[in-house]
Amino acid sequence: MFHKPKNALYKTVSRRRFLELGGYGAAALGVGSLAVGMNSTIMATRVQAASSEDAKWKQFAGSKLTFLSENTPPSFAIRDNIKAFYDLTGIEVEVLTDDLPVVQQKVGIDLRAGKSDYVLNYVQDKPIGSPFADFYADMTPMFGDETLPQDPEGYGDGSWVENFLNACGRFYSAEKVIALPYDAAIPVTFYRQDVFEKHTKEFEAEYGRRLEFTPETTWKHVLEIATFFKKLKDGGADVPYGYAQHQGSFAWTTQLDIQRLMFSHGRWTDFSIDDKLGSKTPGKTNWGDEQSIFMLEQFKALADVSHPDNLANGTLELNTVYQSGNIAMQVQYHEFAASVEDEKTSRAAGGKTAYAYCPKGEASWIKNGGQAVNGTNCGIGGIGINKNASEQLQRAAYLFAIWSTSKQLQFDVLKGLGGTPTRKSVLEMPEVVEAKKRPSKMPNALTFDVAYGIGIQDPNFVLGPKIPEANEYHSLVASETQRMLTGEMSPAETAESLKSQIDELNGA
């Protein structure tokens, strides 16, 4: 139950009564101002640059904000502890959470309709940021504004893990920042080291090397491992499948799964554009070239020896399959370590799981002359402010944005629910450094060295494509590759179909 400010005005106020309050309302608030929207109320007390920090935090006391977010650990933690923000600011915040596709739809309707029912939005980099970037307020004028409180660590690139601010904060321009990094999902390799050790002699007899995962393990090695386990399985052995892909119904994670494999080989990208900023005019796609056709062949080969429910396994389902002991390896987002390490629900807990880099490109698979890398992409969720909202409402929302991305709050979320910090300073805290080793009180920290230390760093990192039609693009890649996996199309036909449809989509 949220505390209701005494003088707040809500949607339930009749239009006639609101007009009657037009002059009186502002006077009743002293030097304040007021605005009414469906889910928000703004009350403001003027402050000066020389005002106390307390006054700057409390200048919008009595206001109400609505934050629409994906159902991620930070949002649950904030929702459960929202009283701390209310005590600091006097601002009531209603935190609404849902699955990302639902959030994406609701946000899109609100933004494009010129409304601000949701003043604060969870800006996931490609699915929300790419199509709606122009609808979010530029935060840079508020950075350093002496009439607003400021985070002592600042908001520049150096305050965040490498590439995070570019991922969710900048779209099509280096000059604007439309969101602050809030949480992160970085893929790393989860593998059952106990299972690998148990079967290494059999694997060595066939492949001449140990069954292990190292920084030099390539996608070709992953294919061989998956083939090895499927052969044992088909022969009646009680073993898990070696691997499973991200398919399922959420097109974005399917596209990310394919993108990692593609980029690992020659740093292949979907378009010849700035991968960090993206482009509103990406031009012709690179799908259909020799590299893309060959990699689709390998993607299909890997699917053929993966878990048989591959096409039904989205990200959540895939992690469930891993936790249940039905696969020995997955490339999964590092935020899932907290659930994998829960001995009450996971057969992969208790030191059985090791965390490693994403697989490296196989040199013999590179056709474009590029570099072999540990291709790693991401989902970086930011907190953005709806540009349709009034200026004062945006300023009030800014207070929540900086509070919810602060060092202490991110540490509390990591410690309490298994969050995924975005500020560098959190990773440097002694308790977090200690948690990177077993036994760990913060299981997600077991992944930090490979996720933050290697994967998200250049040259391994790939972000794009940041294009306005990102969601349509994700859907095309998912649907066409899934048709390929069912045998409906060959890899070459799939690459050509993608090229034709994507070029048409972008008017290229």
Side-chain angles (χ1 to χ4, degrees), residues 100-102 104 124 126-127 245-260 270 287 299 311-317 333 377-378 464-465 469-482 498:
L100 183 58
V102 178
Q104 176 192 77
Q124 184 61 269
K126 276 84 67 182
Q245 297 169 331
H246 293 254
Q247 298 292 332
S249 60
F250 191 20
W252 180 41
T253 52
T254 298
Q255 183 267 331
L256 289 173
D257 202 46
I258 297 166
Q259 183 185 49
R260 285 189 291 275
D270 317 72
W287 281 104
F299 190 76
L311 287 171
N313 290 329
T315 299
L316 296 175
E317 295 84 0
Y333 301 100
N377 44 24
C378 67
E469 296 81 13
N471 292 306
E472 293 85 350
Y473 174 80
H474 299 155
S475 295
L476 282 174
V477 172
S479 63
E480 296 303 276
T481 53
Q482 287 169 354
L498 283 170

Side-chain angles (χ1 to χ4, degrees), residues 270-435:
D270 317 72
F271 300 93
S272 301
I273 59 177
D274 185 319
D275 186 59
K276 305 289 176 62
L277 294 178
S279 174
K280 292 183 179 180
T281 54
K284 290 185 177 296
T285 181
N286 293 323
W287 281 104
D289 65 7
E290 181 185 12
Q291 186 69 58
S292 64
I293 295 171
F294 185 81
M295 294 319 303
L296 284 180
E297 292 172 354
Q298 308 315 311
F299 190 76
K300 172 70 164 59
L302 185 56
D304 289 344
V305 291
S306 290
H307 191 279
D309 292 336
N310 220 27
L311 287 171
N313 290 329
T315 299
L316 296 175
E317 295 84 0
L318 177 58
N319 194 57
T320 299
V321 171
Y322 181 80
Q323 287 186 196
S324 65
N326 288 316
I327 54 174
M329 178 170 49
Q330 63 170 342
V331 175
Q332 184 59 275
Y333 301 100
H334 77 305
E335 61 189 340
F336 284 94
S339 61
V340 165
E341 296 296 332
D342 186 346
E343 296 190 25
K344 297 188 293 293
T345 59
S346 174
R347 294 180 62 185
K352 296 175 182 176
T353 294
Y355 304 96
Y357 314 128
C358 289
K360 192 171 186 177
E362 165 63 36
S364 65
W365 287 6
I366 297 175
K367 309 299 179 183
N368 64 7
Q371 182 181 5
V373 296
N374 297 92
T376 306
N377 44 24
C378 67
I380 308 297
I383 292 189
I385 301 170
N386 188 326
K387 193 168 71 173
N388 299 325
S390 68
E391 180 182 355
Q392 290 292 69
L393 200 53
Q394 290 181 32
R395 288 167 63 85
Y398 177 76
L399 301 191
F400 181 79
I402 65 172
W403 175 80
S404 58
T405 57
S406 64
K407 174 183 177 180
Q408 186 60 48
L409 191 67
Q410 290 197 357
F411 174 67
D412 291 343
V413 173
L414 171 62
K415 187 167 58 173
L417 288 179
T420 50
T422 59
R423 282 197 175 271
K424 280 184 179 179
S425 58
V426 179
L427 306 181
E428 297 165 355
M429 297 175 73
E431 287 183 70
V432 177
V433 173
E434 182 64 26

Side-chain angles (χ1 to χ4, degrees), residues 73 182 234 497:
Y182 174 64
D234 290 347
S497 176

Side-chain angles (χ1 to χ4, degrees), residues 455-475:
I456 204 69
Q457 308 275 341
D458 297 325
N460 300 306
F461 178 64
V462 58
L463 179 61
K466 274 185 172 179
I467 57 175
E469 296 81 13
N471 292 306
E472 293 85 350
Y473 174 80
H474 299 155
S475 295

Side-chain angles (χ1 to χ4, degrees), residues 30 86 184 222 262 388:
Y86 180 79
V222 171
M262 306 287 285
N388 299 325

Side-chain angles (χ1 to χ4, degrees), residues 414-415 435 437 439-443:
L414 171 62
K415 187 167 58 173
K437 299 176 292 186
S440 177
K441 296 179 180 179
M442 307 173 204

